Amino acid sequence: MVAAHGFAISLATLADGGLAGGTFTGLRAAVAKRMGGNMAEKAPGVGRKTVAAGILAAALAASAGAATVQGTISYAGLPVHTNFPSFTYGGAGAYSASAGTWTWGNVVIANDTYSITGLAPGDYTIYVRVSTSAVGHDVLPTPGSLAGTAQVTVAGEGTVTQAVNLLYGVHVTQPLDSATVWPGSCTVCPKGVEMPGVFTLAWDAVPQATSYTVTVRRWSCTQQVGSETYTTSSRSLQISQRTVSGEEFVLVEIAGFAGATQLTVTPYVEYTDCGWQTHAFHAPVASGGRPLHPSNSRFIPQIAHLAGNPPSFWKSDLFLTNPTSSAVTATLRYTPRGADGLATYQEVDVDVPARASRTVKDVLDALFHASGAGSLEISPATLEAACRVYTPGAGPGLYGQGFLPIGAENTAWLGGPATKLGTGGVAKGAYRSNLALVEVWGEGVTLRVVLLDRDGAKLGEKAVSLPPFGNTQINDVVGSLGGPSTIEEAQVVVEVVSGSGRVGAVLSVVDNGSQDPSTFPLVRR
């Protein structure tokens, strides 16, 4: 359960998109303005005489043994009427979970008091809300208002006194205003509003708050798959989506504090199909074709079926191993070099039996019947994979180098664990150095590629843009970045500067005499 000073709701219930259990069973439907507000005024056949008779009956019941619950209201120990002069409307209600009924009362903001009369013996949850606009029977927390709850037991007639501490309903202002209807769903997965992979969340100041926490709970369609909490003194935070395998949407809770005292409650947000007590977002979903944000994939940055300087002709062999006890169907997606991988790609499936391995010779020609060079996406990530790129040499035999797939732990992105990748080993003269770059998230990205000497001094740089799932190779990275004609020892750093893409990189250093290659994956910095 997530509790905020009296307001509580099961996250499992939230993930199901309803209010089927816990404190709020049926409450939103009972009190939401969009469900009718004051139901007595809208019920067919209920006229003024009927309403008057009901009021008289309630008064007689109260005199015959019903009780009154009353008390003061405050916010952070402060009076409401002096600290929130614009809050001139209020509402109060007592809810009986055993009977499933509401009894409504009133709030006198000028005196910082509330009262509810006509209560039969039993247990009740008291709800109070004050706002700048009419409250009526909508007493659950909304953005920018004050709301609070308390538990009371009515034993018989008389008066029960119970103070209610009010909390501030956090008002989100970016990427959308939470006081308006959000164009998303809380009944269909992925839930919430579609937002880019990285977006900025911002909110109004919480009165008296000196710090904030933002908790991001990551959900698949059926269960929570991760969470993290950030503490900040500002009123904005960058949210990154799809950071863990299986994530389909995120639930975001913002809390304001004065010291160790929490001052806030997560309000109800209206979505297109329901009201939900959480801020929910999901990353873009492809309308067809290649899936976006493949958290269960890995990428070979270089495969080829391509003629080079005679007598070279580059080919690639793919090695797949299934270490599991069940057969696996591998999905392979080839993206040509320089292409937008959402628009231009090829896809094939390969069956790999349980605990078996399969080698695909000259994979680009054999499976995709294509020539050229590019990258290869492999899913699922449970498969072990490797690739060898090779060519005939001037003499007998072949030469080439191996590439291992790039996993999430070797990628960089804005808002991620690292925005930079780097390695040493760069050389020019007796050697040539080529840099392969691949985008693995299905989002465009702009990079800064920087050449450093052995002591970290900058020798040159170059801007590179990659389209979604795009890949490229920078041949002679020293010369391309404006470095010297020869250098024995240097570094290369790749930094993500804009876009929502995620990038992996590999440096290839080749001996110009023997053609012996070395492979250096760039790691996070």
Side-chain angles (χ1 to χ4, degrees), residues 48-141:
R48 293 178 63 184
K49 292 182 180 180
T50 306
V51 173
I55 294 173
L56 177 61
L60 292 173
S63 65
T68 295
V69 174
Q70 65 183 25
T72 59
I73 58 174
S74 63
Y75 172 80
L78 302 172
V80 173
H81 77 281
T82 56
N83 288 276
F84 296 89
S86 63
F87 283 33
T88 56
Y89 297 88
Y95 182 71
S96 168
S98 60
T101 58
W102 283 89
T103 304
W104 303 105
N106 63 79
V107 175
V108 181
I109 297 177
N111 296 329
D112 290 320
T113 60
Y114 77 93
S115 63
I116 305 168
T117 61
L119 297 172
D123 295 325
Y124 294 89
T125 302
I126 304 301
Y127 293 84
V128 177
R129 185 167 76 88
V130 297
S131 178
T132 58
S133 57
V135 173
H137 295 170
D138 196 358
V139 292
L140 299 186

Side-chain angles (χ1 to χ4, degrees), residues 261-287:
T261 302
Q262 184 170 332
L263 303 175
T264 58
V265 62
T266 301
Y268 276 87
V269 180
E270 295 293 332
Y271 297 86
T272 54
D273 55 7
C274 63
W276 208 14
Q277 196 190 13
T278 189
H279 308 99
F281 307 94
H282 65 80
V285 178
S287 59

